[in-house]
C-alpha cells in the first residue's frame, strides 16, 4: 500500500461532528475529486476516487448532512485496468 493511501485511510477515520468542518472537507473533495456538471434537470456533482475509505466518507457526509438523493457505483479504471474507481453522484 502506498504512503498516500495510508494517509487517506487514516484521515478518513477522523471523526467530525461539526457541520462547518464537514463543509470544509467536502469543499476540498470538490476541488480535488469533484466534477460539477450543469444538466437540464439541474446541477450534478460527481466525486471520483480510487480510495474506498474516501468514497465512503464523501457518501456518508453528503447523505447525513445534505441529501438522501445520492448514489454510488464502482467502475474499473480504464487507463490502467487494475484499480476500481468509486463514483458518488449527487443530483
Amino acid at each position: 500500500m502506498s504512503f498516500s493511501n495510508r494517509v487517506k485511510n487514516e484521515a478518513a477515520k477522523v471523526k467530525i461532528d461539526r457541520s462547518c468542518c464537514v463543509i470544509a472537507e467536502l469543499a476540498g473533495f470538490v476541488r480535488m475529486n469533484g466534477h460539477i456538471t450543469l444538466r437540464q434537470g439541474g446541477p450534478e456533482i460527481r466525486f471520483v476516487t480510487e480510495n474506498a475509505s474516501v468514497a465512503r466518507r464523501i457518501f456518508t457526509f453528503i447523505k447525513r448532512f445534505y441529501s438522501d438523493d445520492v448514489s454510488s457505483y464502482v467502475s474499473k479504471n480504464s487507463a490502467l485496468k487494475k484499480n476500481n474507481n468509486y463514483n458518488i453522484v449527487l443530483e
Side-chain angles (χ1 to χ4, degrees), residues 5-58:
N5 271 340
R6 285 194 309 248
V7 170
K8 288 175 187 176
N9 288 337
E10 186 176 330
K13 293 177 184 174
V14 174
K15 186 174 177 167
I16 295 179
D17 289 328
R18 297 175 51 194
S19 62
C20 63
C21 297
V22 171
I23 291 169
E25 192 165 331
L26 282 174
F29 286 134
V30 167
R31 175 79 169 108
M32 298 306 296
N33 302 72
H35 306 278
I36 301 174
T37 308
L38 297 175
R39 302 194 181 262
Q40 284 185 335
E44 174 186 272
I45 301 174
R46 179 181 306 266
F47 299 92
V48 180
T49 182
E50 291 181 355
N51 190 296
S53 297
V54 171
R56 192 175 314 110
R57 187 167 179 96
I58 293 170

Side-chain angles (χ1 to χ4, degrees), residues 31-87:
R31 175 79 169 108
M32 298 306 296
N33 302 72
H35 306 278
I36 301 174
T37 308
L38 297 175
R39 302 194 181 262
Q40 284 185 335
E44 174 186 272
I45 301 174
R46 179 181 306 266
F47 299 92
V48 180
T49 182
E50 291 181 355
N51 190 296
S53 297
V54 171
R56 192 175 314 110
R57 187 167 179 96
I58 293 170
F59 184 84
T60 303
F61 281 168
I62 292 173
K63 192 153 181 94
R64 187 176 352 146
F65 289 97
Y66 288 102
S67 174
D68 286 335
D69 190 26
V70 61
S71 60
S72 65
Y73 63 93
V74 179
S75 62
K76 282 288 188 188
N77 188 342
S78 61
L80 300 175
K81 298 195 187 294
K82 68 175 191 175
N83 292 336
N84 289 330
N85 280 342
Y86 300 94
N87 299 272

